[in-house]
Every structure is written in C-alpha cells, then in structure tokens.
DNA sequence: CGTCCATTTGATCAGGGTCAAGACGAGTGG
DNA sequence: CCACTCGTCTTGACCCTGATCAAATGGACG
C-alpha cells in the first residue's frame, strides 16, 4: 500500500477516531485486490477467510435461495466494510458479493479481527455501529415488504440508491452504476416486468429518465411523495 | 437479586465464558422488574436509558409505521437480551417491546454498556454473535417475503415459534404464549383473514390444532414440507 | 346474562404475477 | 462497416393469489 492510499482511507467511517499510527498498523496488514465486473468478492456459504473494505467501485450483496431465486440484500459503496462475518461470530459468509463494476478492495485475513477489535476499540465501535444500522435497514425493509405496495417499494429503493450513490447530472441524479430492471426487481421483491411498467409510467410523468441499465431520478421530491404514499395518483 | 437468581442466569447464552465473579459484578448492577401483560418494556423512539435481559415470560418486539400499521419484528424468549441500542451506537430504541404475558426482566442502565463490553470481552462477543444471528434472521425474512407465497411464510413463522418456544403436549407442540391470528398476520405480512383460512385448512388436514389465541402444531414434519414447498398440495 | 373480542366464512375484486412476443441497443466477428 | 447475436427492455393479454368488504358465530369474562 502506498502512502497515498493511506491518506485516502483515513477519512472513512470505519476508521474515525483512529490515530495515524494505528491506521498504518491496520492497513499494513491488508493487501489490495482488483475485482473485475461480475466477479465475486466472496461467496455465500464459502469459508470466511477475509473481511474487506471497498476502496473503489460498487458491490452487490446477494442471497440465493435453495431453489435459485436471488435477492439483493444491499449495495456496498466505496469506504464501506463488507464480509465481516468474523465480527459476528460466523465462520462462513451468509451471502455473496458481486462486483457491479470493476472494483478495488482491501482484504484482511479474518483471524485479525479479534486483534483489531481489541487493539483499536474505536474501530470496533464504528463497525458495530454500522452493523446496527444495517440491522435497522433490514428491519425497515421487512416492514416495507409487509405494508407497502410495489410502486412505493420501488420508489423507496430508487431513492435509497440515489442517496447512497447518486451523482448529480444536468437532468437529475444518476445512479452511479449499471442497474437493470431485474436488479431493481430483486431489491424490491417483484418482477422485472412490473419494474419496467413503473419506470415507463414515471418517465411519462417526468419523475425519472431511464435507459438500458441506467436510471436517473429527475424529480426526487415528487418521487418521495409517491414513496410516502401522499402522491397525486394521476 | 438473590443468590438463586444468579445461579439461574449463569447458564444463559449472553454470559457464556464469564466467571462467577464477573457475573456477580454484572448482576449486582442490575435491578429486576415485573412487566404486566400488554405493558411496554421499552418504546419505539424512546430514549434508550436501559438494556434488558428477559428472565421470564415472552416479549413481542414491534415496529409501527407512521400510518399506524404494526409489524412484529420478533419474539424474545427467556434468557435473551433486548433493547441493546447502546451496543449498536444508538441513543433511541428502534422498536417497541410489549410483554405478551406477565414478565420478569433485569435492567441495566445504558451507560454501563461500554464498561461491560470492555471489562467482560466474552460478554461482548456473545452479544455481537447474537446481533449477527438477528441480522441473518432479518435478511432471511426479507428473502422469504420476496420469494415465498403466504402459506409458506405462515408455515415458516409457526415453525420458528415452535422451535423457539414450543412446549411438548400430548397432541403436539404448543406455542407457549397467547398468539392471535392478527399476531401471526403481523409476523408474515398478511391479514388475519388469510391466516384464519390457512389454519382451518391445516386443521382439517391434521397439521395443527388451534383455538382462541392458541396454536398447537401436531405434525411439524408435514408442516415443514409445506413450508419448504415440497408438500402434497391436497 | 350481556358485552367484547377473536375467529370464521362468504363474496367480490384488483394488484401484480405469468405467459408470450417483439423491439431495441450494444458488442462481436467477419 | 455491416450483419448477427445476445441480453435488456417494452408491452399486451390473461388470470390467480390474497386483500377487502361484510356479517355471523362463539368463547371468555365481568
């Protein structure tokens, strides 16, 4: 790892509160790797040999059911940890992580986790805080799936992506990685057909603009109204 | 807390690996309380003043949406921790906890969490392991909600309850606390009407016996077949 | 015995899944 | 540079699951 890399990661959420020295000790034990688009960073059921920090790119975390159906659990953005099975007392990954675009990640051997948690308490606290918010996210999603209709779920999913990875463009906010109708369907528990119909309807109303594996939200505010169920159902 | 109480809790999952001395130090700082049926242990959005250990009874954890719909996140059984917002860096409870029957709980002031985590690393590790499994549960539930039909979701929910709190009876395994059709509906994202229809159908097939706020699973194996989708749809 | 809930059961209907076909666009090899 | 192919996306037609609406039944408990 070059010096440059270290200065880049010093500001990331998982490392808040750590000294430069501690940071160096941690990063010194990592190795970085490139993951090509559509390759796996780790795989469901696989032995949890490492945990990772995404430096660049976007990663899709997927659970596959015994009968082959896939659900997208979340997208990982640069600066986030992933594959932290060790922190939660697991020896195997509960999901697969697939690069949505070419990615760069840092990897640490899993056995270092207990050492890190003991030696750098802030790092542990930051991580558990993140686990907490992921648990909240998961519960929120259960609530959405239980109580909301498809259109609102899809609207919520788009807004979440826009907030997480949105990139300002002339026409609105673009989701910053290739995302298909099928992907959105797997995030919201519906079918690509329904997603397609919704997007074309919204495009006619001027809420979004979308193309092949590409979605731009042009009117986040109105989309939020729709997601919250106080939309003018025209 | 009497000596008896301490010996009772020494075997519980959160305290595995702790010495008797450490256990005493922890329990000594707790106070126990009784929560009457239908009373709240803590409330959604409320300031997280304490965290709790359920000693006796059963507690329902509920998230309420802005428009008043409720979703049952999980049931807590004796020996489990709850309300551990502090462990996850939160200052407010993300859900409400309602006593399903009269309960006895131990409560610690939230500010003790960091001390405990530092002084008793095994306790911290046990807790985070539990958080990890709850995160898995939540994701599993998202997957179920996305991919399974209602009958299979209800079957899964019943089996989960049976495994967690089942009590062997002559006729089968009884879910050990009062549970209504409405409750089951709120666990599975459906309506009490659909749950009622399913239960009567299953009763005719001899899979379950049910009454007012009472469900007994008489043939867990066949119910599992149904939950897994390899049932004889007769 | 009367009241209040939980539960059951029927009738209706719509949201959205499934099936089917085509259009469109991007990359590939000749 | 073009033709071809493959994967994504669109759109229509149909139908089923399960929600909604409505009403009656039945226990439990004061």
């Amino acid at each position: 790892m070059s010096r440059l890399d270290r200065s880049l990661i010093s500001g990331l959420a998982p490392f808040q509160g750590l000294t430069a020295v501690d940071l160096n000790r941690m990063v010194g034990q990592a190795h970085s790797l490139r993951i090509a688009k559509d390759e796996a960073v780790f795989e469901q059921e696989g032995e949890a040999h490492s945990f990772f920090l995404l430096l660049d790119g976007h990663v899709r975390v997927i659970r596959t059911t015994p009968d082959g159906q896939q659900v997208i659990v979340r997208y990982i953005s640069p600066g986030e940890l992933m594959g932290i099975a060790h922190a939660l007392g697991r020896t195997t990954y509960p999901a697969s992580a697939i690069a949505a675009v070419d990615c760069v990640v840092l990897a640490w051997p899993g056995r270092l986790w207990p050492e890190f948690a003991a030696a750098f308490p802030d790092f542990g606290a930051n991580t558990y805080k993140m686990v907490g918010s992921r648990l909240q996210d998961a519960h929120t999603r259960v609530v959405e799936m239980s109580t909301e209709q498809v259109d609102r779920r899809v609207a919520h999913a788009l807004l979440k992506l826009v907030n997480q990875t949105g990139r300002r463009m002339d026409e609105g906010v673009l989701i910053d990685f290739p995302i298909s109708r099928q992907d959105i369907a797997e995030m919201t528990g519906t079918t690509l057909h329904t997603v397609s119909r919704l997007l074309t309807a919204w495009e006619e109303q001027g809420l979004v603009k979308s193309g092949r594996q590409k979605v731009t939200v042009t009117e986040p505010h109105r989309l939020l109204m729709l997601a919250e169920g106080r939309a003018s159902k025209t």
Side-chain angles (χ1 to χ4, degrees), chain A residues 69 150-151 153-154 180-202 210:
Chain A
Q69 296 195 73
V150 170
D151 55 349
R153 298 207 302 269
V154 172
S180 68
R181 308 290 183 266
Q182 175 71 36
D183 292 332
I184 298 173
E186 288 178 7
M187 296 182 70
T188 52
T190 180
T191 62
L192 75 165
H193 308 281
T194 298
V195 173
S196 176
R197 285 185 241 266
L198 284 172
L199 286 182
T200 51
W202 291 344
S210 73

Side-chain angles (χ1 to χ4, degrees), chain A residues 16-217:
Chain A
Q16 287 306 311
L18 292 193
T19 66
V21 175
D22 287 348
L23 195 61
N24 270 330
R25 279 182 54 203
M26 288 189 64
V27 175
Q29 296 178 78
H31 58 277
S32 74
L33 19 141
R34 254 148 231 298
I35 313 281
K37 179 177 175 180
D38 295 329
E39 294 290 308
V41 182
F42 53 84
E43 250 155 327
Q44 185 168 338
E45 313 289 307
E47 201 206 338
H49 50 81
S50 305
F51 58 94
F52 306 87
L53 174 71
L54 181 62
L55 288 178
D56 189 53
H58 288 277
V59 170
R60 195 165 52 233
V61 179
I62 292 180
R63 289 258 295 226
T64 306
T65 63
D67 59 314
Q69 296 195 73
Q70 295 193 333
V71 173
I72 296 181
V73 172
R74 67 191 332 267
Y75 276 91
I76 304 286
S77 297
E80 280 188 84
L81 292 174
M82 57 183 168
I84 54 169
H86 283 277
L88 305 170
R90 293 186 55 100
T91 57
T92 163
Y93 297 116
S96 298
I98 310 290
V101 294
D102 291 349
C103 289
V104 181
V105 306
L106 281 187
W108 288 271
R111 62 180 158 70
L112 289 183
W113 179 268
E115 294 178 32
F116 282 5
F120 317 119
D122 278 348
F123 175 68
N126 293 336
T127 303
Y128 288 120
K129 188 165 178 178
M130 180 213 64
V131 171
S133 66
R134 288 193 189 170
L135 185 56
Q136 290 326 308
D137 288 351
H139 285 156
T140 300
R141 198 147 149 214
V142 169
V143 171
E144 283 181 6
M145 298 280 311
S146 300
T147 63
E148 292 179 356
Q149 313 233 44
V150 170
D151 55 349
R152 295 175 55 179
R153 298 207 302 269
V154 172
H156 270 130
L158 290 183
L159 289 169
K160 225 177 301 172
L161 290 173
V162 158
N163 288 329
Q164 190 185 339
T165 74
R167 177 190 208 137
R168 264 232 80 71
M169 309 294 273
D170 301 351
E171 309 166 298
V173 192
L174 170 73
I175 292 169
D176 203 20
F177 50 82
I179 184 167
S180 68
R181 308 290 183 266
Q182 175 71 36
D183 292 332
I184 298 173
E186 288 178 7
M187 296 182 70
T188 52
T190 180
T191 62
L192 75 165
H193 308 281
T194 298
V195 173
S196 176
R197 285 185 241 266
L198 284 172
L199 286 182
T200 51
W202 291 344
E203 188 140 5
E204 279 165 15
Q205 296 171 47
L207 296 178
V208 304
K209 291 201 67 169
S210 73
R212 191 189 178 80
Q213 308 211 83
K214 187 164 78 73
V215 178
T216 306
V217 176

